[in-house]
Amino acid sequence: MIELRPFDRLGGADHGWLNTKHHFSFADYYDPDRLHWGNLRVWNDDEIAPGTGFPLHPHRDMEIITYVREGAITHQDDQGNRGRTEAGDVQVMSAGTGIRHSEYNMEKGLTKIFQIWIIPEERGGAPRWAAQPFPKGERAGRFVTLASGRKGDEDALMIRADARLVAATIKAGDSATYAADPGRHLYLVTARGAVEVNGTRLGERDGAAIRDEAAVTVKALDDAEVILVDAA
């Protein structure tokens, strides 16, 4: 089963400094059929104007992944963490018992991110933050795990959830395949280019909710970059 969710039909809002689209119900956008996909709760497609961003605000009991598509995001929190994450790289934050953080675009141009929230397996735990560079060359033509709470993914950034975030860059005409376990909830978004996912066409920034597929084969129609969450 593959349910296409075109970018131009997503909810969202333009706040001037922030132009955001929501794959799932979020803020003022509510769709009872799109509350979550397994333990994947939020996938926001954000464009942040230069010199602006999300001021200090709190979270708890949520795993928050930021995938930077373009530009860079600068993180700061009340645990003493500070870091700058560039395009193609990932940062993760386990809110746990509570954390206050800010995310700013300190660059001269637009910053584009995917903000992904995953429900943790257990409530509580000490708040934590980490970031890691993932050069695109290392995932050319294949899926690479960037963040995970599943066994065997110890080289990826850790999250406290039964989920995994993978990404692939694929040259036009080439394919990459992700093997799926039965009963998992997969959600794929095309960060760049156009692709076919098991024969279903996705344009740039389109999403696809996938379930009961033994494998997901992504064929690039253009040079493409795809992000996939494998959720419980």
Side-chain angles (χ1 to χ4, degrees):
M1 186 281 290
I2 299 178
E3 178 192 341
L4 179 63
R5 298 185 177 179
F7 176 77
D8 61 6
R9 298 183 190 175
L10 300 178
D14 189 345
H15 301 284
W17 67 273
L18 170 68
N19 189 7
T20 181
K21 293 290 187 179
H22 310 311
H23 287 262
F24 301 94
S25 294
F26 188 84
D28 293 332
Y29 167 63
Y30 176 76
D31 183 337
D33 295 325
R34 295 187 180 181
L35 296 177
H36 61 90
W37 186 240
N39 61 0
L40 173 60
R41 175 61 189 86
V42 169
W43 192 311
N44 290 345
D45 184 324
D46 294 338
E47 296 182 343
I48 306 167
T52 69
F54 301 93
L56 195 67
H57 62 282
H59 289 286
R60 66 179 302 152
D61 293 319
M62 192 64 68
E63 302 299 298
I64 299 174
I65 304 172
T66 303
Y67 182 91
V68 183
R69 296 176 49 233
E70 184 178 312
I73 199 79
T74 297
H75 167 96
Q76 190 167 358
D77 63 47
D78 62 0
Q79 306 296 304
N81 299 305
R82 181 180 175 87
R84 178 177 175 274
T85 306
E86 300 180 345
D89 298 340
V90 174
Q91 67 173 22
V92 299
M93 185 175 71
S94 296
T97 54
I99 190 169
R100 293 173 59 83
H101 76 117
S102 63
E103 307 290 338
Y104 274 94
N105 174 14
M106 307 300 291
E107 314 304 308
K108 295 181 179 179
L110 197 67
T111 284
K112 301 178 182 180
I113 64 171
F114 289 148
Q115 183 186 163
I116 298 164
W117 295 14
I118 300 174
I119 301 168
E121 290 189 89
E122 297 180 1
R123 298 173 66 87
R128 61 182 298 275
W129 173 87
Q132 188 166 319
F134 291 94
K136 287 185 173 61
E138 292 185 4
R139 57 180 186 265
R142 64 187 182 95
F143 282 98
V144 171
T145 303
L146 308 184
S148 179
R150 307 200 74 194
K151 291 182 179 179
D153 292 339
E154 285 75 16
D155 291 338
L157 290 167
M158 185 191 79
I159 57 174
R160 297 169 179 156
D162 183 3
R164 171 190 291 136
L165 181 141
V166 301
T169 55
I170 312 168
K171 292 186 179 297
D174 291 347
S175 299
T177 298
Y178 180 81
D181 293 333
R184 303 290 292 182
H185 297 77
L186 309 184
Y187 200 84
L188 182 145
V189 178
T190 306
R192 177 171 54 90
V195 301
E196 286 184 352
V197 179
N198 289 6
T200 298
R201 188 185 188 282
L202 274 71
E204 189 164 299
R205 298 162 81 181
D206 288 349
I210 304 166
R211 195 172 185 190
D212 299 326
E213 301 278 336
V216 176
T217 297
V218 180
K219 179 181 179 181
L221 305 179
D222 312 306
D223 288 350
E225 179 180 350
V226 295
I227 315 299
L228 181 148
V229 168
D230 178 339

